[in-house]
Amino acid sequence: MLRFLSRVAFCSYRHLVFGGYSGIFFSSDTLQIAGYLKPFHRALKAMESIEMDSVSLKRPISSKDLSGDSVKRQKVSDNLFSTETSLKAQDVEPTSGIQNENALDRELTLEVPGEKNEEDFEKDELLDGETEEESPESFADMMKHGLTEIDVGITKFVSTHEGFSGILKERYSDFVVNEIGKEGKILHLNDVSVPADEEDPSEDIYSVLSPDDKKRLEDLQLFKNREDNVAIEVVEDTKEKRTLIHQAVKGLFPGIETKTEEREGKKYIIAYHAAGKKALSKVRSPTDPRKHSWPKARGSYCHFVLYKENKDTMDAINVLSKFLRIKPNIFSYMGTKDKRAITVQEIAVLKITAQRLAHLNKCLMNFKLGNFTYQKNPLKLGELQGNHFTVVLRNITGTSEQVVQAMTSLRDIGFINYYGMQRFGTTAVPTYQVGRAILQSNWNEMVDLILKPRPGAEKGYLVQCREEWAKTKDPEAALKKLPVKRCLEGQLLRGLAMYGLKNIVSAFGIIPRNNRLMYIHSYQSYVWNNMVSKRIEEFGLKVVPGDLVLKGDTAVQVEEGNVDNYTINDIVMPLPGFDVIYPKHKIAAAYEEILAADNLDIKNMRHRVKDYSLSGAYRKIVICPQDVSWEVVSYDDPKIPLVQTDLDKLEGKALPEYNKEGKYRALKMEFSLPPSTYATMAIREVLKMDTSIKNQTQLNTVWLR
């Protein structure tokens, strides 16, 4: 029995086999299951060397699966309502304009990456957050209360090819994302040199440190020694000599701070870790800079390309800020990137030299910084032009003909621009239900949805917190059950403790604005998905009178006389709001009906709390990826890298040669997408599969049985 449960846990964590219309595997990071497989931890520890065979299921899509009934809104019973503390869409970028999605303010957790390979990261994800034992329950059982695609309106495909199986993100290196910058060019890391700058200290200063000093400082920086600090004796005690040592330590070892002390009549430079609990100086901020002045002729912002592996953007910035001993908010970027991926994006930081940034390359694993330039302005959300994806689907079952049909359709027709499952919560958490309660001003229900106990995968301390809340309705008592009080539940409880249960609006208001708005945007996305499915069901891919297209930022209706001037790729549909118009055909009535069913008036989308008034936006219903290319490669080793990354090219590492007669086949595809578009929805169109966690885990369990 233990062996069976271990296999369920390990497969669910590492691969998540599922078929549906076809088979696919999703990563643990995508599914956010770290910490939920604790019952199987001991069994898994004995399985560290296991090699999992790649097995996929395939069930061709049928017309029954996509019947009109499946488009109807699914009513979720109260005992399934819950909320998700992580609301990020992991393959989307926030932007402005047609596809407007506000960025999520995330809580910042400082981490220092160790020297780990990809397998080490897999193990760490499993053990993350482990604090206590939980009752044994298979992951599939825990996830059976989650949402399916049908629940959030994702029901249609635009292509006619037969679906096939594949493995997505079996390794995080199978998913590579390169930003498309403001100039419309794909960003690459291809230069780690530091631009010449007379204001930077000379490399000669580092000679004041002996090899032993450097070794001890390196160990201190990487937390390898047990000393609280490193003492460097100043042999020739002059102010100039002490200054050189201070500069050398701080320049060569970012994250290390220094001070001068006298011990037994001798002067010492004391080096200590700035990020440690016993750090002896404060973190600098933009209004409290270091003593050295910034040259007036140099741009205030150092822009650089950040290459990272298996870290999301906010985690990466936290690591950089920790080592540089600066506030995270002096970094800027154009969009957030996936965790379980290799990503390349542009970052800007205020008044930090390229020389200091470049030294981080010597002490950080799975990061690389380069392409440094000084510029006058920071980066802004919304400036991003899109993302270029390189995706490997391993162990595909489709024939060469099926692959060609699928990829040709993706290139020529595109895919329905649905909001992906990440938008709605990744466990038994219909975030759109919380958004609906907010729009209805049903504050008690909103609190109940966020805080009450619910079935499904949850960390132990959250379970205890919810149970305490259900029993006492005492926010302070429930808060005591939370070791991590910066999670969304903790923030709401702190607000309730401050303002009381009769002032929920103010209590909820202490949560960062973007986090609160994500619930409302989730509801808008839910409505949009359902309406687009209805539109495709009624009219297919034809442009019909009454459809909407954009003229600049303004939506206009297609008339009978100009239908032939447009294609389905021009058509937009509105997210509900007070500042949008609706199609002038039967879908307009469908908008009214779906909102009326939720006791909302489509003609009055303003809210008495200004933050929750919906202006609406427009979003294209079908997206055609750009720069689409693909190839099928054969291989024998499941761990063999199939993508040459920017870092590989920089270091001159070529891809290994594949066995052209290998037992496995992989589909390697590349494509570019505009901002705020879900790559998983493009892959869904290729494979013809349901991307919901509920469906994936249940099919995984069926296979294991």
Side-chain angles (χ1 to χ4, degrees):
M1 184 63 180
L2 179 61
R3 176 174 178 147
F4 168 75
L5 292 176
S6 300
R7 283 186 74 192
V8 173
F10 192 88
C11 291
S12 297
Y13 162 71
R14 181 89 194 275
H15 299 295
L16 279 180
V17 187
F18 63 89
Y21 312 126
S22 62
I24 190 169
F25 296 78
F26 263 71
S27 73
S28 62
D29 304 292
T30 305
L31 305 175
Q32 297 179 326
I33 62 174
Y36 303 139
L37 301 179
K38 297 178 222 173
F40 315 112
H41 170 35
R42 291 186 178 87
L44 288 172
K45 288 177 76 173
M47 300 172 63
E48 291 180 349
S49 62
I50 191 169
E51 293 291 335
M52 292 299 301
D53 290 333
S54 298
V55 181
S56 302
L57 297 178
K58 179 177 179 181
R59 190 181 67 199
I61 188 170
S62 67
S63 58
K64 181 179 178 181
D65 288 323
L66 296 180
S67 65
D69 292 340
S70 68
V71 185
K72 295 179 180 178
R73 297 175 55 245
Q74 304 297 303
K75 295 188 177 180
V76 184
S77 58
D78 285 345
N79 69 326
L80 296 185
F81 291 170
S82 56
T83 181
E84 176 61 65
T85 57
S86 175
L87 301 174
K88 71 176 181 178
Q90 77 170 29
D91 60 337
V92 236
E93 303 301 330
T95 186
S96 59
I98 298 175
Q99 305 181 44
N100 182 36
E101 295 187 25
N102 289 314
L104 171 60
D105 278 349
R106 299 186 212 174
E107 292 302 323
L108 306 180
T109 303
L110 294 177
E111 293 184 46
V112 179
E115 298 182 8
K116 301 175 184 176
N117 56 28
E118 194 161 338
E119 285 69 39
D120 292 329
F121 273 110
E122 301 284 5
K123 297 170 189 174
D124 287 350
E125 287 303 315
L126 181 62
L127 305 180
D128 179 42
E130 182 168 8
T131 57
E132 59 184 82
E133 292 297 320
E134 295 180 0
S135 58
E137 185 180 16
S138 77
F139 183 71
D141 287 338
M142 290 191 290
M143 295 308 303
K144 66 185 178 184
H145 308 285
L147 298 172
T148 65
E149 287 186 345
I150 292 177
D151 293 327
V152 296
I154 301 173
T155 61
K156 299 297 180 182
F157 296 96
V158 297
S159 56
T160 58
H161 70 273
E162 182 181 355
F164 53 91
S165 307
I167 306 174
L168 174 64
K169 291 191 180 183
E170 182 179 25
R171 300 172 65 78
Y172 65 73
S173 54
D174 287 345
F175 199 87
V176 180
V177 186
N178 292 75
E179 272 189 348
I180 301 174
K182 292 184 289 185
E183 306 300 323
K185 296 181 179 179
I186 298 173
L187 294 179
H188 289 282
L189 177 76
N190 51 29
D191 183 5
V192 293
S193 64
V194 176
D197 194 321
E198 296 179 357
E199 299 292 335
D200 289 332
S202 167
E203 293 286 333
D204 294 340
I205 68 169
Y206 302 129
S207 62
V208 301
L209 298 176
S210 69
D212 181 62
D213 291 336
K214 292 178 182 178
K215 179 64 171 65
R216 290 190 297 148
L217 288 166
E218 179 182 350
D219 289 347
L220 175 66
Q221 185 184 49
L222 300 178
F223 297 108
K224 287 184 177 180
N225 68 358
R226 298 182 180 179
E227 301 176 46
D228 291 333
N229 54 63
V230 170
I232 302 172
E233 183 180 355
V234 185
V235 179
E236 300 173 7
D237 184 19
T238 63
K239 184 177 181 180
E240 291 74 17
K241 182 66 176 291
R242 293 197 302 271
T243 300
L244 284 175
I245 296 176
H246 283 296
Q247 289 178 338
V249 172
K250 293 175 183 178
L252 195 56
F253 300 96
I256 300 297
E257 283 301 309
T258 57
K259 64 175 184 174
T260 302
E261 280 188 4
E262 186 170 330
R263 299 179 179 180
E264 299 178 353
K266 296 180 180 180
K267 289 288 182 66
Y268 289 86
I269 304 299
I270 308 300
Y272 56 92
H273 210 293
K277 293 182 179 179
K278 298 181 181 180
L280 303 180
S281 63
K282 63 182 179 179
V283 174
R284 302 290 177 179
S285 68
T287 58
D288 181 24
R290 293 180 179 274
K291 292 181 180 179
H292 67 265
S293 60
W294 190 264
K296 291 182 179 180
R298 178 196 288 168
S300 295
Y301 294 88
C302 184
H303 287 235
F304 61 95
V305 171
L306 172 65
Y307 169 101
K308 62 181 181 63
E309 299 182 5
N310 209 44
K311 284 282 183 187
D312 69 28
T313 300
M314 291 311 304
D315 284 341
I317 285 177
N318 279 317
V319 171
L320 299 181
S321 63
K322 184 173 183 179
F323 272 87
L324 293 168
R325 207 169 68 85
I326 57 179
K327 294 279 190 181
N329 62 4
I330 72 172
F331 288 90
S332 58
Y333 47 88
M334 295 182 289
T336 56
K337 293 289 177 288
D338 295 5
K339 175 180 179 179
R340 189 169 173 79
I342 292 176
T343 69
V344 179
Q345 68 181 117
E346 186 175 357
I347 304 287
V349 61
L350 176 64
K351 293 185 178 180
I352 299 296
T353 65
Q355 188 179 49
R356 288 188 66 200
L357 292 168
H359 278 301
L360 294 174
N361 288 332
K362 301 177 182 179
C363 59
L364 293 180
M365 301 297 294
N366 301 300
F367 290 82
K368 189 68 75 172
L369 289 67
N371 297 83
F372 302 102
T373 60
Y374 292 107
Q375 299 184 31
K376 293 181 179 180
N377 300 310
L379 296 168
K380 296 179 181 178
L381 294 173
E383 292 181 328
L384 187 69
Q385 296 298 302
N387 294 288
H388 184 78
F389 296 88
T390 304
V391 179
V392 173
L393 300 176
R394 292 182 183 251
N395 199 20
I396 61 169
T397 61
T399 64
S400 297
E401 183 180 359
Q402 283 177 290
V403 170
V404 170
Q405 289 176 346
M407 294 305 299
T408 301
S409 175
L410 181 67
R411 181 192 64 196
D412 297 343
I413 301 175
F415 62 96
I416 302 175
N417 194 21
Y418 286 124
Y419 288 97
M421 295 303 294
Q422 308 96 303
R423 187 75 162 178
F424 307 100
T426 52
T427 58
V429 182
T431 53
Y432 68 85
Q433 297 283 355
V434 181
R436 181 180 66 180
I438 295 170
L439 294 174
Q440 294 171 336
S441 296
N442 192 339
W443 305 112
N444 288 323
E445 180 181 355
M446 180 204 71
V447 170
D448 195 41
L449 291 173
I450 294 174
L451 294 180
K452 74 176 184 179
R454 76 284 312 280
E458 285 235 285
K459 293 187 177 181
Y461 58 79
L462 269 177
V463 173
Q464 294 176 18
C465 171
R466 297 187 193 285
E467 290 174 349
E468 182 67 29
W469 171 256
K471 182 172 63 175
T472 66
K473 290 294 188 286
D474 182 344
E476 293 184 355
L479 203 54
K480 290 179 181 178
K481 301 291 184 180
L482 282 179
V484 181
K485 294 180 173 56
R486 299 180 73 186
C487 63
L488 189 140
E489 290 84 356
Q491 291 173 322
L492 177 56
L493 287 168
R494 280 194 292 113
L496 292 171
M498 291 171 58
Y499 294 100
L501 296 176
K502 293 187 178 180
N503 192 358
I504 294 175
V505 174
S506 296
F508 187 56
I510 77 165
I511 296 171
R513 181 176 182 271
N514 285 342
N515 291 47
R516 288 180 278 125
L517 294 184
M518 279 298 289
Y519 285 121
I520 297 175
H521 296 155
S522 177
Y523 179 76
Q524 285 182 298
S525 304
Y526 164 78
V527 172
W528 193 90
N529 279 0
N530 276 280
M531 292 300 94
V532 168
S533 291
K534 185 72 173 174
R535 161 59 178 82
I536 297 295
E537 180 184 342
E538 291 289 340
F539 304 117
L541 300 182
K542 296 187 302 180
V543 178
V544 297
D547 276 335
L548 301 179
V549 295
L550 286 176
K551 297 291 186 182
D553 293 331
T554 304
V556 298
Q557 294 173 348
V558 176
E559 304 293 341
E560 186 77 44
N562 62 3
V563 166
D564 294 338
N565 295 342
Y566 304 104
T567 70
I568 193 65
N569 301 107
D570 299 313
I571 304 304
V572 299
M573 287 184 63
L575 282 82
F578 61 77
D579 198 27
V580 295
I581 63 172
Y582 294 88
K584 199 174 182 179
H585 46 54
K586 62 175 63 177
I587 303 304
Y591 269 98
E592 292 188 24
E593 290 169 6
I594 194 171
L595 290 171
D598 289 333
N599 296 316
L600 296 172
D601 183 359
I602 196 170
K603 297 176 182 177
N604 183 20
M605 298 303 290
R606 296 186 185 273
H607 198 280
R608 66 183 183 88
V609 179
K610 186 177 180 180
D611 274 354
Y612 310 141
S613 292
L614 297 179
S615 61
Y618 299 99
R619 181 177 174 91
K620 288 190 174 181
I621 67 174
V622 173
I623 291 291
C624 242
Q626 301 298 308
D627 311 314
V628 178
S629 64
W630 69 91
E631 65 173 320
V632 176
V633 297
S634 297
Y635 63 101
D636 282 319
D637 183 0
K639 295 183 179 181
I640 194 171
L642 299 178
V643 177
Q644 187 181 28
T645 67
D646 283 359
L647 186 59
D648 292 334
K649 295 173 184 176
L650 198 63
E651 297 177 347
K653 294 181 181 178
L655 282 176
E657 292 188 8
Y658 312 128
N659 180 0
K660 295 183 179 180
E661 304 298 326
K663 59 181 178 180
Y664 303 121
R665 295 163 64 243
L667 171 58
K668 179 179 174 182
M669 64 174 78
E670 294 192 43
F671 52 88
S672 298
L673 295 177
S676 188
T677 304
Y678 289 69
T680 50
M681 292 295 99
I683 296 166
R684 169 186 182 269
E685 188 71 42
V686 171
L687 294 179
K688 292 287 187 72
M689 55 70 173
D690 184 324
T691 59
S692 68
I693 303 173
K694 178 178 180 178
N695 186 59
Q696 296 156 16
T697 52
Q698 287 176 345
L699 289 166
N700 184 28
T701 305
V702 169
W703 169 68
L704 287 171
R705 289 173 181 165

